[in-house]
Amino acid sequence: MPTETTLMTRDDALKQLSHIARERAFERHVGSDRLIQAGLNALIAGVESPSLAMLAGLLRSEEPEASALFDQVLEELGLLFRPPADRRAAKWAMADWVAGQIVDGSLDAAVGTHLIWADIAEDLGYPEELEPLVHCAHNLDGWEESWGVSFEELSREAVETAKQFLNKRSAAQAGS
């Protein structure tokens, strides 16, 4: 039975490249296979860059070259992302990015709040601004059916908490 494949649009492919750029900038592991696949997706979607075809065409034996080629493609497309040099500022930028993904649905609320709890809040000394998201992570991580609230409801609450976090952050940055 034939299956229908939906091809990525150019915008989707650029968004995927940008997303992976941020993952790597925030020191998340991204395998060479994902870098090459993102390059292939972008090429098929009509994205043009001098190095893109080289990235997309890498063979398994050439995977070690993927990282440098991926950065070159990002540079050519103007998508290279560098987090703030200050470690604390970089952690706050990562918190904003993760919260944004929770809000837009591209990252599961349980996974995202856990990331904020384990990889960001801890490094920042559990600041008050992240406490509501850490609380959501604890609830989602330890959820039991006997609580009388559904996991889905806790997830919706986490999305709302991430929205509030981003709104407070943007209001604070606008005021500074």
Side-chain angles (χ1 to χ4, degrees), residues 9 31 38 41 70 78 90 137 154:
T9 66
N41 292 345
F70 187 82
L154 290 176

Side-chain angles (χ1 to χ4, degrees), residues 62-121:
E62 300 170 314
E63 279 187 5
E65 299 171 38
S67 184
L69 269 174
F70 187 82
D71 287 343
Q72 199 171 326
V73 168
L74 294 176
E75 187 79 47
E76 292 164 1
L77 294 171
L79 296 175
L80 199 58
F81 174 80
R82 286 186 174 76
D86 175 72
R87 183 148 173 77
R88 288 186 64 79
K91 286 293 180 177
W92 281 109
M94 184 177 178
D96 292 342
W97 178 64
V98 171
Q101 289 181 88
I102 293 169
V103 170
D104 74 16
S106 62
L107 184 61
D108 178 74
V111 173
T113 56
H114 185 82
L115 246 172
I116 288 173
W117 169 27
D119 290 2
I120 300 168

